[in-house]
Amino acid sequence: MTTLSIRNLSIDYIGPRSDFHAVKDVSFDVGRGEFFGLAGESGCGKSTIAFAISRLHRPPALIRKGSQILIEGRDVMALDDRALRDFRWREVAMVFQSAMNSLNPVLTIVDQFYDVLKTHAGMSRDQARARAAELLALVDIPAHRLDAYPHQCSGGMRQRIVIAICLSLNPKLLIMDEPTTALDVVVQHEILQRINKLRKDLGFSVLFITHDLGLMVQVSDRIGIMLEGELVEVGEAQSIYRNPQHDYTKRLWAAMPRLHGARLQEAGR
Ligand code: ADP
Ligand code: MG
């Protein structure tokens, strides 16, 4: 079963004089429970794709006719406003770039969970508190943090809280758009290992967007490489790492800090 299926996705930014083709005829699938990494240099169209999948794209972004985005067979583009409200938490949840700063500074952690759980699952305060404690435990955060404010938590902890909030309604697809770039390498790695275990336990799929190739190859089952709006290579992470086909991928690997084969396997995906 395919969680996400993208076919011939083209997205333009409509300008007063000319249009900019940010995403050009991109097709790929993310299977159920799969960890898919999408990489490419800054400006190649990764976030544009992530926003389109979440139906969060806004003008001047325009998805071209003929593009198709399916989540478990459902046409994302056909959803009306009402369907979208549920879709955003139950089907797809997105952790944005620098998400650790996206928590509301004047609300305690439990209240940030309550916002989502009340609106989208009709939970009472007590129910939301119990569910929030459960979700925090998934990302290794003790329940006493429920009453803390964001500024009382470290960057890595805030990041894990955002991820836990995203998992509130058991989404089928978790999109993470450069979620850990502001964190140090060790913390980044720990968070991704944690996500990797969770998606195996809970069964959701991950679309992980990054420009950190080493990290991507270590944690992903399959990867896609983008160049100037096009998906130039897609397949098993290990096979693309060992045997890149496209010139651009070869150049990317050559420019990447050394990674040893043994270590990649040790990473224990
Ligand atoms: P990435 O996430 O891979 O860094 P983006 O998807 O953010 O790339 O951007 C892809 C391209 O689209 C970039 O060249 C960027 O300048 C352009 N772009 C992004 N947002 C807009 C916008 N609102 N208006 C015009 N062009 C945009
Ligand atoms: Mg981006």
Side-chain angles (χ1 to χ4, degrees):
M1 182 73 183
T2 315
T3 298
L4 170 68
S5 174
I6 291 184
R7 288 291 172 276
N8 309 108
L9 178 62
S10 294
I11 305 171
D12 300 331
Y13 286 102
I14 305 298
R17 294 217 193 95
S18 63
D19 300 343
F20 179 74
H21 307 315
V23 176
K24 302 167 188 165
D25 201 25
V26 164
S27 300
F28 67 93
D29 289 336
V30 179
R32 191 176 278 179
E34 184 169 68
F35 197 118
F36 188 95
L38 188 63
E41 67 189 358
S42 178
C44 69
K46 305 182 296 296
S47 295
T48 302
I49 292 178
F51 279 98
I53 296 168
S54 318
R55 277 284 303 269
L56 289 169
H57 64 286
R58 292 276 172 276
L62 186 75
I63 299 180
R64 277 202 212 175
K65 283 212 170 61
S67 303
Q68 193 177 51
I69 302 172
L70 304 178
I71 300 277
E72 301 216 320
R74 236 170 123 208
D75 184 352
V76 170
M77 243 97 83
L79 300 173
D80 58 24
D81 287 353
R82 183 129 177 266
L84 262 182
R85 247 173 286 149
D86 268 357
F87 167 83
R88 287 227 180 91
W89 292 92
R90 294 182 189 281
E91 310 282 318
V92 174
M94 182 158 157
V95 181
F96 295 95
Q97 231 153 321
S98 71
M100 56 191 245
N101 301 319
S102 70
L103 293 168
N104 187 334
V106 302
L107 291 184
T108 58
I109 304 305
V110 70
D111 282 342
Q112 326 233 0
F113 279 97
Y114 182 53
D115 253 8
V116 176
L117 292 169
K118 180 185 159 207
T119 314
H120 297 278
M123 284 194 189
S124 68
R125 272 199 176 274
D126 286 350
Q127 287 171 323
R129 190 176 180 87
R131 175 74 178 134
E134 233 174 68
L135 289 158
L136 282 187
L138 290 177
V139 292
D140 266 342
I141 295 178
H144 70 81
R145 291 283 175 178
L146 283 173
D147 298 307
Y149 286 90
H151 74 268
Q152 296 170 313
C153 305
S154 68
M157 202 180 276
R158 290 203 300 274
Q159 185 64 282
R160 281 180 288 148
I161 292 167
V162 171
I163 290 165
I165 293 172
C166 280
L167 297 178
S168 289
L169 299 180
N170 297 316
K172 294 174 179 131
L173 177 69
L174 179 68
I175 301 180
M176 298 192 293
D177 187 357
E178 313 215 17
T180 57
T181 27
L183 301 171
D184 78 61
V185 179
V186 175
V187 175
Q188 273 187 36
H189 204 260
E190 279 169 7
I191 289 178
L192 285 166
Q193 296 294 7
R194 164 66 42 178
I195 296 278
N196 223 339
K197 181 170 182 311
L198 283 177
R199 58 110 189 189
K200 283 173 191 160
D201 295 348
L202 304 178
F204 59 85
S205 312
V206 178
L207 175 60
F208 173 54
I209 295 175
T210 182
H211 56 249
D212 185 336
L213 300 167
L215 194 60
M216 179 187 69
V217 171
Q218 284 184 39
V219 297
S220 304
D221 299 314
R222 290 168 65 247
I223 60 176
I225 306 289
M226 286 190 66
L227 171 64
E228 293 170 4
E230 287 179 60
L231 188 68
V232 293
E233 190 152 359
V234 61
E236 299 284 327
Q238 293 301 316
S239 83
I240 293 183
Y241 178 67
R242 286 175 211 289
N243 191 18
Q245 299 299 308
H246 198 279
D247 265 355
Y248 178 67
T249 316
K250 289 177 192 168
R251 279 188 279 131
L252 279 180
W253 283 182
M256 183 166 104
R258 279 278 147 256
L259 272 173
H260 303 290
R263 236 201 247 153
L264 279 177
Q265 273 159 7
E266 265 171 39
R269 291 186 305 104

